[in-house]
Amino acid sequence: MGDHERLGSSLGRHMAAKVDLTDVAYLEQLETRSDVDRDPRERTIATAYVALVSANLNPSIPADTAWCHVDELPPTAFDHASIINSGRERLRAKLTYTNVGYALAPETFTIAELRDVYVACLGHAISATNLQRVLLRRKIIKATNDAAPPPSSGGRPATLYRFAERTLLVTDPFAVFRPPRSLDQERST
Amino acid sequence: MGDHERLGSSLGRHMAAKVDLTDVAYLEQLETRSDVDRDPRERTIATAYVALVSANLNPSIPADTAWCHVDELPPTAFDHASIINSGRERLRAKLTYTNVGYALAPETFTIAELRDVYVACLGHAISATNLQRVLLRRKIIKATNDAAPPPSSGGRPATLYRFAERTLLVTDPFAVFRPPRSLDQERST
DNA sequence: TCAAAAGTGTTTATAATACACCCATGG
DNA sequence: CCATGGGTGTATTATAAACACTTTTGA
């Protein structure tokens, strides 16, 4: 890292240089690991980040690098597996109470495509029907006037949707212990 | 920090030495700040932690240190205000989906006492009635057979409660996008 | 006209909030 | 017996999951 650089921007520079990942749509610091023996060769401290890129991009990567499905990761050195797991948990949580999905989806997409992205992140099946309802109710996505052509096997054309905002918004801040509804809010309902 | 020490244990050592805070019930890493000019004197990187202690403790602290209500903090140097705010948000969120309150409450307590702790953390009013219901339903707290004596002004004695577990448990992992209920789980209901 | 895929209508379940009311105590 | 707080019963509201059914397309 350069002496006059922040950790985040340093990371962006390295990713662009090494793996051609110039279109990181969302970057979030995960955690700093300081275990004395995380690397047996020498004392290191590592600050990990989560970087999200659109699922339709396929940036060229060097021969010693590869894309992996989280459930099929090769064995990793040191505490890397634990860090990856921690990152996935963070993403899983954020998908449920923010609009962070915008960073994983292309500009426009069908609900089925978005469902696949969510399934990959969450690790369990979810229905396109309910995904659509939830995201529409929260006004996280909205329908465009376009539709995707059906596959050659036939089928109804799928409406294309887009994310309403492409910056992080917390849409469900209070799961419980909500502050009492103020009179202002009551009037607006 | 010692060369052979983790960040967390180093922190514990410093807090015990400087502010007599030996009974930290919960410690969690918050974030690492690396802004180039966070300290104008020299380039520093700071990893911040959130430490929770029981609200009934009142450890002795040196003259240059003081307990402050979050809403009445004195002006702070560098990016400290922003870090403190970030820590409070973290605590607020964790109180809503984990049992982390155990780290802020004494062994036994009345619902009214616990309510005051929650109010201080969340920053808005919550009713003792609803707090009790939610925490009981989630099995985060349970009633003891004891009761606290009423104040001299009279009143019904308050049941004393305790936290069921005193280690971190995530009680509400899936706000939405829950995995489909398996047949196993269905049988057990 | 049938299969495939998308989307809607409607029911059900769950969890939290709101609030009226009852209980137990000290003076 | 009344003021003071604690606690319970119950209605309301909000949100999401489940699933049957309808729509729109290609062959």
Side-chain angles (χ1 to χ4, degrees):
Chain A
M1 182 174 72
D3 265 6
H4 298 290
E5 209 177 15
R6 304 182 59 196
L7 285 173
S9 58
S10 165
L11 184 70
R13 202 167 43 78
H14 276 86
M15 287 202 305
K18 283 192 76 173
V19 290
D20 189 33
L21 234 46
T22 50
D23 292 314
V24 170
Y26 180 73
L27 183 67
E28 175 176 309
Q29 189 183 100
L30 186 55
E31 59 189 347
T32 300
R33 296 292 184 110
S34 63
D35 301 26
V36 174
D37 47 4
R38 57 181 300 276
D39 181 343
R41 295 169 306 183
E42 56 173 340
R43 177 62 195 275
T44 60
I45 293 186
T47 298
Y49 280 75
V50 173
L52 305 183
V53 298
S54 172
N56 63 330
L57 295 178
N58 199 353
S60 66
I61 51 179
D64 61 350
T65 312
W67 289 102
C68 296
H69 192 284
V70 265
D71 295 330
E72 296 156 9
L73 287 175
T76 50
F78 319 142
D79 53 358
H80 294 181
S82 144
I83 292 175
I84 290 166
N85 190 57
S86 165
R88 191 194 191 180
E89 284 306 312
R90 177 75 65 89
L91 176 58
R92 167 141 63 190
K94 287 239 152 139
L95 277 177
T96 70
Y97 68 89
T98 73
N99 69 341
V100 77
Y102 78 83
L104 295 166
E107 193 65 33
T108 63
F109 48 85
T110 66
I111 295 294
E113 285 162 2
L114 189 62
R115 193 255 325 266
D116 292 343
V117 169
Y118 271 70
V119 166
C121 296
L122 300 179
H124 63 254
I126 60 172
S127 89
T129 296
N130 290 334
L131 182 68
Q132 184 216 34
R133 296 250 174 108
V134 169
L135 297 184
L136 280 178
R137 175 175 29 234
R138 294 182 176 180
K139 300 199 195 323
I140 288 179
I141 61 171
K142 53 186 182 187
T144 70
N145 292 323
D146 297 324
S152 60
S153 60
R156 176 169 169 174
T159 304
L160 287 171
Y161 293 81
R162 66 171 66 248
F163 274 85
E165 299 292 333
R166 303 204 122 247
T167 54
L168 188 69
L169 290 178
V170 176
T171 53
D172 243 31
F174 295 105
V176 290
F177 309 139
R178 276 168 270 206
R181 240 190 335 218
S182 81
L183 296 178
D184 273 12
Q185 284 172 299
E186 221 158 27
R187 237 180 287 135
S188 72
T189 357
Chain B
M1 183 174 71
D3 265 5
H4 298 289
E5 212 177 13
R6 305 182 58 197
L7 285 172
S9 57
S10 165
L11 184 69
R13 201 165 45 76
H14 276 87
M15 286 202 306
K18 283 191 75 172
V19 290
D20 189 33
L21 234 45
T22 50
D23 293 314
V24 170
Y26 179 72
L27 183 66
E28 175 175 309
Q29 190 183 100
L30 185 56
E31 59 187 348
T32 300
R33 296 292 185 108
S34 64
D35 302 25
V36 173
D37 46 5
R38 57 181 300 275
D39 181 344
R41 295 169 307 184
E42 56 173 340
R43 176 63 194 277
T44 60
I45 293 186
T47 298
Y49 279 75
V50 173
L52 305 183
V53 297
S54 172
N56 63 331
L57 295 177
N58 199 353
S60 67
I61 50 179
D64 61 349
T65 313
W67 288 103
C68 296
H69 191 285
V70 266
D71 295 329
E72 296 157 9
L73 287 175
T76 50
F78 320 140
D79 53 359
H80 293 181
S82 143
I83 292 175
I84 289 167
N85 190 56
S86 166
R88 191 194 192 179
E89 284 306 314
R90 177 77 64 91
L91 176 58
R92 167 141 63 189
K94 287 239 150 139
L95 277 177
T96 70
Y97 69 88
T98 73
N99 68 341
V100 77
Y102 78 83
L104 295 166
E107 193 65 32
T108 62
F109 47 84
T110 66
I111 294 294
E113 285 162 2
L114 189 62
R115 192 255 326 265
D116 292 344
V117 170
Y118 271 71
V119 165
C121 295
L122 299 179
H124 63 253
I126 60 172
S127 90
T129 297
N130 290 334
L131 182 66
Q132 185 216 33
R133 297 255 171 105
V134 170
L135 297 185
L136 280 178
R137 177 179 21 241
R138 294 182 176 181
K139 300 199 196 319
I140 289 179
I141 61 171
K142 54 186 180 186
T144 69
N145 292 323
D146 297 325
S152 60
S153 59
R156 177 170 168 173
T159 304
L160 287 172
Y161 293 81
R162 67 170 67 249
F163 274 85
E165 298 291 334
R166 303 204 123 245
T167 54
L168 188 70
L169 291 178
V170 176
T171 54
D172 244 32
F174 295 105
V176 290
F177 309 137
R178 277 168 269 205
R181 237 189 339 217
S182 82
L183 296 177
D184 273 12
Q185 283 173 300
E186 223 159 26
R187 239 180 285 134
S188 73
T189 0

Short mmCIF file of all heavy atoms in Angstrom, two decimals, chain A residues 49-75:
data_model
loop_
_atom_site.label_atom_id
_atom_site.label_comp_id
_atom_site.label_asym_id
_atom_site.label_seq_id
_atom_site.Cartn_x
_atom_site.Cartn_y
_atom_site.Cartn_z
N TYR A 49 -11.86 -7.12 2.44
CA TYR A 49 -12.96 -6.36 1.85
C TYR A 49 -13.88 -7.29 1.08
O TYR A 49 -13.45 -8.36 0.63
CB TYR A 49 -12.43 -5.30 0.88
CG TYR A 49 -11.93 -4.05 1.58
CD1 TYR A 49 -10.72 -4.05 2.26
CD2 TYR A 49 -12.68 -2.89 1.56
CE1 TYR A 49 -10.26 -2.90 2.90
CE2 TYR A 49 -12.24 -1.74 2.18
CZ TYR A 49 -11.03 -1.74 2.86
OH TYR A 49 -10.60 -0.61 3.48
N VAL A 50 -15.11 -6.86 0.93
CA VAL A 50 -16.04 -7.54 0.03
C VAL A 50 -16.26 -6.62 -1.16
O VAL A 50 -16.61 -5.45 -0.98
CB VAL A 50 -17.40 -7.81 0.71
CG1 VAL A 50 -18.39 -8.35 -0.28
CG2 VAL A 50 -17.23 -8.76 1.87
N ALA A 51 -16.02 -7.12 -2.35
CA ALA A 51 -16.24 -6.34 -3.57
C ALA A 51 -17.29 -7.03 -4.41
O ALA A 51 -17.23 -8.23 -4.63
CB ALA A 51 -14.94 -6.20 -4.37
N LEU A 52 -18.29 -6.28 -4.86
CA LEU A 52 -19.36 -6.86 -5.66
C LEU A 52 -19.29 -6.33 -7.08
O LEU A 52 -19.10 -5.14 -7.30
CB LEU A 52 -20.73 -6.51 -5.05
CG LEU A 52 -20.92 -6.89 -3.58
CD1 LEU A 52 -22.34 -6.56 -3.13
CD2 LEU A 52 -20.62 -8.36 -3.34
N VAL A 53 -19.43 -7.25 -8.05
CA VAL A 53 -19.46 -6.85 -9.45
C VAL A 53 -20.71 -7.45 -10.10
O VAL A 53 -21.25 -8.44 -9.62
CB VAL A 53 -18.22 -7.34 -10.23
CG1 VAL A 53 -16.95 -6.71 -9.66
CG2 VAL A 53 -18.11 -8.84 -10.21
N SER A 54 -21.13 -6.84 -11.17
CA SER A 54 -22.32 -7.31 -11.86
C SER A 54 -22.13 -8.74 -12.36
O SER A 54 -21.08 -9.10 -12.87
CB SER A 54 -22.62 -6.38 -13.03
OG SER A 54 -23.66 -6.93 -13.81
N ALA A 55 -23.18 -9.54 -12.22
CA ALA A 55 -23.09 -10.95 -12.55
C ALA A 55 -22.91 -11.18 -14.05
O ALA A 55 -22.48 -12.25 -14.46
CB ALA A 55 -24.35 -11.68 -12.07
N ASN A 56 -23.22 -10.20 -14.87
CA ASN A 56 -23.09 -10.42 -16.31
C ASN A 56 -21.70 -10.10 -16.84
O ASN A 56 -21.37 -10.41 -17.96
CB ASN A 56 -24.13 -9.60 -17.07
CG ASN A 56 -23.92 -8.11 -16.87
OD1 ASN A 56 -23.41 -7.69 -15.82
ND2 ASN A 56 -24.28 -7.34 -17.86
N LEU A 57 -20.88 -9.49 -16.01
CA LEU A 57 -19.51 -9.20 -16.42
C LEU A 57 -18.68 -10.47 -16.31
O LEU A 57 -18.94 -11.31 -15.46
CB LEU A 57 -18.89 -8.12 -15.53
CG LEU A 57 -19.52 -6.74 -15.61
CD1 LEU A 57 -18.85 -5.80 -14.63
CD2 LEU A 57 -19.41 -6.21 -17.02
N ASN A 58 -17.66 -10.57 -17.14
CA ASN A 58 -16.78 -11.72 -17.01
C ASN A 58 -15.36 -11.25 -17.27
O ASN A 58 -14.78 -11.52 -18.31
CB ASN A 58 -17.17 -12.83 -17.99
CG ASN A 58 -16.58 -14.15 -17.54
OD1 ASN A 58 -15.78 -14.19 -16.59
ND2 ASN A 58 -16.93 -15.22 -18.21
N PRO A 59 -14.81 -10.50 -16.34
CA PRO A 59 -13.52 -9.87 -16.59
C PRO A 59 -12.43 -10.92 -16.80
O PRO A 59 -12.48 -11.99 -16.20
CB PRO A 59 -13.26 -9.08 -15.30
CG PRO A 59 -14.18 -9.62 -14.29
CD PRO A 59 -15.33 -10.23 -15.01
N SER A 60 -11.50 -10.61 -17.68
CA SER A 60 -10.39 -11.55 -17.91
C SER A 60 -9.52 -11.57 -16.67
O SER A 60 -9.28 -10.54 -16.04
CB SER A 60 -9.58 -11.09 -19.12
OG SER A 60 -8.95 -9.86 -18.82
N ILE A 61 -9.07 -12.73 -16.30
CA ILE A 61 -8.25 -12.88 -15.12
C ILE A 61 -7.02 -13.69 -15.47
O ILE A 61 -7.05 -14.49 -16.41
CB ILE A 61 -9.04 -13.59 -13.99
CG1 ILE A 61 -9.67 -14.87 -14.51
CG2 ILE A 61 -10.08 -12.67 -13.42
CD1 ILE A 61 -10.44 -15.62 -13.46
N PRO A 62 -5.92 -13.49 -14.76
CA PRO A 62 -4.68 -14.21 -15.08
C PRO A 62 -4.84 -15.70 -14.81
O PRO A 62 -5.80 -16.15 -14.17
CB PRO A 62 -3.66 -13.58 -14.14
CG PRO A 62 -4.43 -12.88 -13.09
CD PRO A 62 -5.74 -12.51 -13.69
N ALA A 63 -3.86 -16.45 -15.31
CA ALA A 63 -3.95 -17.92 -15.26
C ALA A 63 -3.99 -18.46 -13.83
O ALA A 63 -4.57 -19.51 -13.58
CB ALA A 63 -2.77 -18.53 -16.01
N ASP A 64 -3.37 -17.72 -12.91
CA ASP A 64 -3.32 -18.24 -11.54
C ASP A 64 -4.53 -17.81 -10.72
O ASP A 64 -4.53 -17.88 -9.51
CB ASP A 64 -2.03 -17.80 -10.85
CG ASP A 64 -1.94 -16.28 -10.75
OD1 ASP A 64 -2.78 -15.60 -11.38
OD2 ASP A 64 -1.05 -15.77 -10.06
N THR A 65 -5.56 -17.32 -11.39
CA THR A 65 -6.75 -16.83 -10.69
C THR A 65 -7.97 -17.45 -11.35
O THR A 65 -7.94 -17.77 -12.54
CB THR A 65 -6.82 -15.30 -10.79
OG1 THR A 65 -5.55 -14.76 -10.47
CG2 THR A 65 -7.86 -14.72 -9.84
N ALA A 66 -9.04 -17.64 -10.61
CA ALA A 66 -10.23 -18.24 -11.20
C ALA A 66 -11.47 -17.81 -10.44
O ALA A 66 -11.40 -17.42 -9.27
CB ALA A 66 -10.12 -19.77 -11.17
N TRP A 67 -12.61 -17.85 -11.12
CA TRP A 67 -13.88 -17.64 -10.45
C TRP A 67 -14.33 -18.97 -9.86
O TRP A 67 -14.24 -20.00 -10.51
CB TRP A 67 -14.94 -17.15 -11.44
CG TRP A 67 -14.72 -15.75 -11.90
CD1 TRP A 67 -14.19 -15.36 -13.08
CD2 TRP A 67 -15.02 -14.56 -11.16
NE1 TRP A 67 -14.14 -13.99 -13.14
CE2 TRP A 67 -14.64 -13.46 -11.97
CE3 TRP A 67 -15.56 -14.30 -9.91
CZ2 TRP A 67 -14.78 -12.14 -11.57
CZ3 TRP A 67 -15.70 -12.98 -9.50
CH2 TRP A 67 -15.32 -11.92 -10.33
N CYS A 68 -14.82 -18.94 -8.63
CA CYS A 68 -15.28 -20.18 -7.99
C CYS A 68 -16.67 -19.97 -7.43
O CYS A 68 -16.99 -18.89 -6.94
CB CYS A 68 -14.36 -20.56 -6.83
SG CYS A 68 -12.69 -20.94 -7.33
N HIS A 69 -17.46 -21.01 -7.49
CA HIS A 69 -18.71 -21.00 -6.75
C HIS A 69 -18.37 -21.15 -5.27
O HIS A 69 -17.50 -21.95 -4.92
CB HIS A 69 -19.61 -22.15 -7.23
CG HIS A 69 -21.01 -22.04 -6.72
ND1 HIS A 69 -21.36 -22.34 -5.43
CD2 HIS A 69 -22.14 -21.62 -7.33
CE1 HIS A 69 -22.65 -22.14 -5.28
NE2 HIS A 69 -23.16 -21.70 -6.41
N VAL A 70 -19.06 -20.38 -4.41
CA VAL A 70 -18.72 -20.44 -2.98
C VAL A 70 -18.81 -21.84 -2.40
O VAL A 70 -18.12 -22.17 -1.44
CB VAL A 70 -19.64 -19.56 -2.11
CG1 VAL A 70 -19.01 -18.22 -1.86
CG2 VAL A 70 -21.03 -19.47 -2.66
N ASP A 71 -19.69 -22.65 -2.97
CA ASP A 71 -19.84 -23.99 -2.41
C ASP A 71 -18.81 -24.97 -2.96
O ASP A 71 -18.77 -26.13 -2.57
CB ASP A 71 -21.26 -24.52 -2.70
CG ASP A 71 -22.31 -23.69 -1.98
OD1 ASP A 71 -21.99 -23.16 -0.90
OD2 ASP A 71 -23.43 -23.57 -2.51
N GLU A 72 -17.98 -24.50 -3.88
CA GLU A 72 -16.98 -25.39 -4.48
C GLU A 72 -15.62 -24.73 -4.47
O GLU A 72 -14.90 -24.71 -5.47
CB GLU A 72 -17.37 -25.73 -5.92
CG GLU A 72 -18.67 -26.51 -6.03
CD GLU A 72 -19.32 -26.33 -7.38
OE1 GLU A 72 -18.68 -25.75 -8.29
OE2 GLU A 72 -20.48 -26.77 -7.54
N LEU A 73 -15.26 -24.18 -3.34
CA LEU A 73 -13.98 -23.50 -3.25
C LEU A 73 -12.85 -24.51 -3.08
O LEU A 73 -12.99 -25.51 -2.40
CB LEU A 73 -13.97 -22.55 -2.05
CG LEU A 73 -14.81 -21.28 -2.20
CD1 LEU A 73 -14.80 -20.51 -0.88
CD2 LEU A 73 -14.25 -20.42 -3.31
N PRO A 74 -11.72 -24.24 -3.72
CA PRO A 74 -10.55 -25.08 -3.46
C PRO A 74 -10.04 -24.80 -2.05
O PRO A 74 -10.39 -23.77 -1.46
CB PRO A 74 -9.54 -24.60 -4.52
CG PRO A 74 -9.94 -23.20 -4.82
CD PRO A 74 -11.44 -23.15 -4.66
N PRO A 75 -9.24 -25.68 -1.49
CA PRO A 75 -8.66 -25.41 -0.17
C PRO A 75 -7.86 -24.12 -0.21
O PRO A 75 -7.18 -23.85 -1.21
CB PRO A 75 -7.73 -26.62 0.06
CG PRO A 75 -8.17 -27.66 -0.90
CD PRO A 75 -8.80 -26.95 -2.07
#
